[in-house]
Amino acid sequence: MNTQQILKDSEDRMEKALDVFRNDLRGLRTGRASPQMLDAIRVDNYGTMSPIRDVASVTCPDASSIVIKPYVAESLKEIEKAIRASDMGLAPNNDGKVIRLSIPAMSGDQRKKIVAQIKKSGEAAKVSCRNIRRDGNKHFDDAEKAKTMTEDDRDKGKAKMQDLLKAYEGKIDALSASKEKEVLEQ
């Protein structure tokens, strides 16, 4: 692998780590209703665990409620059971056709816990990016040992890899700060 290939592979992998972090942030409860809050919940759909979006329509008629309308009426009880089993602390209100979820306002303690969760998730994303950098640096070392790259090229590649890592850590920090601000302001 040459320098460009190693950097491209590492950048693609860091972008995937950033996408995972973005998806983690979407699923966090911020006091405002959002269909993405339910993305992590899986429902037993004829023996297969499926996301709620695959078995029902999820909408937010206002900022403090979510309405779930199953495509098949029989899955109503399974959706309700999955929501109750989740650690989101939501109480589903089943009227026989749809499930309504009221999103209560968050207390100061809940906000602090969510901010701590954001920081923990952000740090995990950074660690993932650092592991990708380590793998990329190993590729540079291996290429230099195999005499397909000079020492200077290896060192320049490692410097570019470090710059790439700093850029992605900055993106992760910016996403974290934005989400923390959103959680604390409401």
Side-chain angles (χ1 to χ4, degrees):
M1 290 177 82
N2 66 25
T3 301
Q4 295 304 327
Q5 291 170 325
I6 294 170
L7 289 171
K8 177 71 173 130
D9 177 58
S10 297
E11 184 174 6
D12 291 345
R13 292 174 61 203
M14 286 185 190
E15 190 61 42
K16 287 179 185 170
L18 186 63
D19 286 342
V20 167
F21 180 57
R22 275 191 197 110
N23 288 334
D24 286 349
L25 291 182
R26 276 191 207 118
L28 288 178
R29 189 173 147 214
T30 60
R32 183 183 311 142
S34 158
Q36 289 85 10
M37 290 173 57
L38 305 177
D39 283 352
I41 299 176
R42 300 284 184 238
V43 177
D44 184 6
N45 184 26
Y46 302 108
T48 306
M49 296 308 280
S50 305
I52 286 183
R53 287 178 179 250
D54 288 357
V55 296
S57 162
V58 182
T59 58
C60 295
D62 58 59
S64 65
S65 64
I66 298 175
V67 175
I68 305 166
K69 185 172 187 206
Y71 301 130
V72 180
E74 289 79 40
S75 58
L76 200 63
K77 284 190 171 46
E78 290 298 328
I79 294 171
E80 183 178 9
K81 189 188 314 179
I83 293 169
R84 287 190 192 281
S86 75
D87 61 351
M88 296 187 73
L90 299 174
N93 181 0
N94 181 349
D95 70 2
K97 292 184 180 167
V98 296
I99 294 176
R100 297 182 197 286
L101 299 173
S102 289
I103 310 300
M106 292 193 311
S107 68
D109 287 344
Q110 288 173 315
R111 292 178 196 280
K112 288 176 187 172
K113 285 179 186 175
I114 290 176
V115 167
Q117 191 176 352
I118 292 168
K119 288 181 181 184
K120 183 178 173 187
S121 185
E123 191 56 40
K126 286 182 185 178
V127 167
S128 179
C129 288
R130 290 177 193 138
N131 289 338
I132 294 165
R133 175 196 55 189
R134 182 196 62 217
D135 293 345
N137 285 345
K138 186 175 184 313
H139 286 301
F140 283 121
D141 290 336
D142 292 345
E144 192 264 331
K145 284 180 186 168
K147 303 291 185 207
T148 59
M149 187 180 285
T150 65
E151 282 184 43
D152 288 343
D153 288 342
R154 178 200 65 193
D155 293 342
K156 288 177 187 173
K158 284 185 173 184
K160 288 180 181 176
M161 183 66 70
Q162 184 64 29
D163 293 341
L164 185 65
L165 173 69
K166 291 295 178 200
Y168 274 89
E169 284 183 337
K171 290 178 183 181
I172 291 168
D173 286 339
L175 282 171
S176 291
S178 170
K179 191 67 169 186
E180 287 173 23
K181 184 179 176 194
E182 180 184 338
V183 168
L184 293 173
E185 281 182 353
Q186 293 179 11

